[in-house]
Each structure stands twice: as C-alpha cells, then as structure tokens.
C-alpha cells in the first residue's frame, strides 16, 4: 500500500514551494523506503525550483538527507529495517563503461528508484537528484542508502550527502591536496567551507579563503582557513600571490561557478597548479581565456562532480572524522526548520544569511 506523507513540492517554475500530501510506494526490487530524519536545504533545490536544471515539474525537492531504513524490496542485501543511512545522489551501477574501468565515482548510469512517487491525483513527481527527501518518507535505489555510524546526529550527518561531500572531495579527491600544499578557495558558503576543511585535513600548510563577505570569511577560519581575502576591495589574484611567496597557490578551488571567479582561479594558480571548479554555473555562462596562457601556465583545469566521491567508501569515513572531532559538521548547521519553512530558507540562502538550513522531521 502506498504511504501518504507530507512533502515539499515545486509545482511550477519560479513559484513558491508547497507543502503537499504525496504517495510513496512500497519498495520494489532493489529499492529501499527511508524514513527521513533530516534534510539540508541546498542551492541545487533552489535551482530545481527555478527551472535552472530541468523543466520536469512538479519536483519533489530535497536530497541532502539522513534517515532510517523502514523497508527494503526484493533482492536487496546489506540493508535492513532500522539501519541508519545517509542518502547519496550517485549510486554506481557497476556496469557502465566508467564503472568497468574502475572509476565508479564517474558512473554514467547512476541508480535511482524505478517506482515513481506521485501526487494524490496520480501525477508523477520528479525527485530532485533522484532522492526527494523534503518528505517524511522517500523511495530510493538501495545503492543510494549508505549505512553510517548511528551516533552522528541526522542534522549534521545528512549534509555529507551533497554539499559537504562536494566541497571536501573537490579538495581531497579532484584537487589531490597533499601535505605542504598551498590552497585557495573562492566562495565561502557550505561547499567552499567544506573544501577548506578537506584541504586542512589533507595537510595543506596554507588555506586561503576568498569571499566578498567578511562574515563568511570569519566563519571560514572555523573550518581551517589560515588566511582570508575580501575580494570586494582587493585584487584576489594579487592577494593570493602575496600570501604564497609571489607564486600562487598549488590548488585553487572555485566554489562559486561564475566566469569572473573562474578567471581569478585560473590566474591565482602557481605554474603547473590545479584549478578545480565545483561551483555550478548557469547554463548560459561562457568563459574565454587566451590559448597561450592555457599552454604556458600548464597544470590542470578540472571539474569536480560530487567531489569525485564513492559514497559507500567516503560517507562512513567523513562520519568517523565528524565523531572524532576532526570534521566540524555541526558548524555547517545554521538553523533547523520544519518542512513548511523551506521557502523562507531559500530567501535566507539568497541573502547569504545561512550556511545550511536543515529540515528536521
């Protein structure tokens, strides 16, 4: 029997989200029903609401979540009712050309639940990033549910399901930050601060936070920034060079995703340095760079998809680091809210007043 639950739905492009009753089916083969305990409000949810990612309305929003397995479908192994999990929007299929080549973090056919969640009238909902966790219960592919230590409180644990993993992985996996490296991070929101934390944990000797908001820069020091640069009144390229002996940083992470920040990141690298773009740009944005500079500066220009993570490997590790005090997940939680407060959380996000609002159910 389908489960009637309350959920946050984006019915039309640009319209305020609505709290509605939806139907969540029992799990089929390879699926799991999850009772959601907490879900972070991510910029990606706002992009879905505004139609910047897809036009497959109505959307069931929410994807940065922790909860408890309520039921599993036929053929599911390794999960059982009562297991505490963090949800991942990438679940490697094991069969695509990337998985077969030993690169499951790039899986090109990530698994999602096959059975749709619907409105009461039968209208199918598109689950944001294949999860849809602004709901009391959600249906996912079993591979999207990663068991973690139940001692981690859900408000914090759920954040590794997207923003924290994206930023942390951009530094550690995509950027390959190592002991003694110098790192600059442009944009000190949730993803940027996670990149700062990742770089610090990986052993960077200098981590430079760049933003236009002094409040965000002050917060970045909590996650491991050794230096801060307010780029509103200072040339960030020159400032980063000055802090790195005139050379530039070994790894620069653009957590904003705009042409101007990408150009800054490109220029504030040391020779043969690495640029990692993890901030998601709007589809109509373009970048132009002199080809001679691409050649002469060398190094690597990379995009980071979900921090190039493997959820089954990385989620438990990040939770362990949280529980041991090495990764301050609690610091990302600005406020906890109810399901009917998601629209107001979007307003706070736009104004830069929060790192993360987290829905607690």
């Amino acid at each position: 029997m389908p489960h009637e639950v309350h959920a946050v739905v984006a019915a039309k492009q640009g319209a305020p989200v609505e709290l509605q009753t939806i139907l969540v089916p029992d799990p089929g083969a390879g699926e799991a029903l999850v009772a959601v305990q907490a879900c972070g409000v991510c910029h990606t949810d706002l992009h879905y609401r505004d139609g910047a990612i897809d036009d497959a309305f109505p959307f069931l929003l929410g994807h940065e979540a922790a909860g408890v397995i309520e039921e599993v479908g036929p053929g599911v192994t390794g999960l059982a009712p009562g297991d505490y999990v963090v949800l991942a929007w990438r679940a490697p299929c094991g069969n695509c050309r990337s998985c077969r080549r030993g690169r499951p973090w790039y899986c090109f056919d990530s698994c999602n639940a096959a059975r749709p969640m619907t409105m009461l009238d039968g209208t199918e909902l598109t689950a944001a990033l294949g999860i849809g966790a602004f709901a009391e219960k959600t249906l996912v592919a079993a591979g999207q549910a990663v068991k973690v230590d139940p001692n981690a409180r859900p408000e914090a644990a759920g954040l590794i399901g997207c923003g924290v993993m994206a930023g942390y992985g951009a530094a550690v996996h995509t950027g390959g930050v190592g002991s003694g490296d110098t790192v600059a991070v442009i944009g000190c929101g949730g993803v940027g601060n996670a990149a700062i934390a990742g770089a610090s944990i990986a052993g960077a000797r200098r981590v430079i936070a760049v933003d236009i908001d002094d409040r965000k820069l002050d917060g970045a020091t909590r996650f491991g920034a050794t230096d801060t640069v307010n780029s509103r009144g200072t040339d960030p390229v020159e400032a980063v060079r000055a802090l790195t002996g005139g050379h530039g940083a070994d790894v620069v992470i653009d957590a904003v995703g705009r042409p101007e920040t990408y150009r800054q990141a490109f220029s504030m690298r040391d020779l043969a340095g690495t640029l990692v773009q993890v901030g998601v740009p709007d589809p109509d944005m373009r970048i132009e760079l002199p080809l001679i500079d691409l050649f002469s500066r060398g190094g690597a220009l990379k995009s980071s998809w979900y921090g190039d993570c493997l959820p089954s490997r990385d989620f438990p590790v990040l939770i362990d680091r949280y529980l041991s005090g090495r990764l301050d997940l609690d610091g990302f939680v600005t406020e906890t809210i109810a399901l009917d407060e998601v629209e107001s959380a979007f307003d706070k996000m736009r104004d830069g007043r929060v790192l993360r609002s987290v829905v607690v159910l």
Side-chain angles (χ1 to χ4, degrees), residues 171 177 181-187 192 195-196 199 204 206-210 227 229 236 240-241 243-244 248-255 264-265 268-269 274-276:
V177 174
D181 280 346
T182 57
V183 179
V185 178
I186 303 175
I196 288 168
R206 181 157 243 162
V207 183
I208 306 163
V210 181
D227 305 271
V229 174
V240 168
R241 288 186 179 280
L243 289 165
T244 54
D250 298 306
V251 180
V252 181
I253 298 167
D254 176 9
Q264 290 168 353
M268 66 175 61
R269 297 176 303 145
T274 298
L275 188 165
V276 177

Side-chain angles (χ1 to χ4, degrees), residues 247-322:
H247 306 300
D250 298 306
V251 180
V252 181
I253 298 167
D254 176 9
V256 178
R258 294 187 58 84
E260 54 268 40
T261 54
Y262 192 93
R263 284 191 291 267
Q264 290 168 353
F266 178 83
S267 298
M268 66 175 61
R269 297 176 303 145
D270 196 355
L271 288 173
T274 298
L275 188 165
V276 177
Q277 180 188 343
V278 65
V280 181
D282 290 341
D284 59 349
M285 289 179 174
R286 298 289 184 270
I287 186 74
E288 184 174 306
L289 293 168
L291 190 57
I292 187 61
D293 289 347
L294 286 169
F295 173 77
S296 62
R297 296 196 61 79
L301 309 179
K302 298 183 175 182
S303 298
S304 184
W305 300 345
Y306 205 5
D308 290 346
C309 79
L310 186 58
S312 59
R313 175 195 66 191
D314 296 324
F315 285 10
V317 171
L318 265 62
I319 291 296
D320 288 347
R321 286 180 175 160
Y322 164 60

Side-chain angles (χ1 to χ4, degrees), residues 41-66:
V41 182
C42 176
H43 269 94
T44 304
D45 295 306
L46 182 58
H47 291 325
Y48 272 108
R49 171 200 180 276
D50 291 342
I53 293 178
D54 198 349
D55 61 359
F57 290 89
F59 289 108
L60 174 58
L61 300 183
H63 60 278
E64 203 174 61

Side-chain angles (χ1 to χ4, degrees), residues 78-93:
L79 285 177
D83 285 343
Y84 181 58
V85 297
V86 173
L87 300 183
W89 53 263
R90 174 172 288 152
C93 68

Side-chain angles (χ1 to χ4, degrees), residues 318-339:
L318 265 62
I319 291 296
D320 288 347
R321 286 180 175 160
Y322 164 60
L323 292 173
S324 68
R326 297 181 65 200
L327 178 60
D328 183 14
L329 292 178
D330 292 324
F332 290 90
V333 182
T334 307
E335 63 173 1
T336 56
I337 62 173
L339 268 177

Side-chain angles (χ1 to χ4, degrees), residues 73-104:
V76 174
T77 59
L79 285 177
D83 285 343
Y84 181 58
V85 297
V86 173
L87 300 183
W89 53 263
R90 174 172 288 152
C93 68
N95 296 313
C96 73
R97 62 190 186 280
S98 186
C99 287
R100 291 198 307 269
R101 294 174 69 191
R103 301 172 184 172

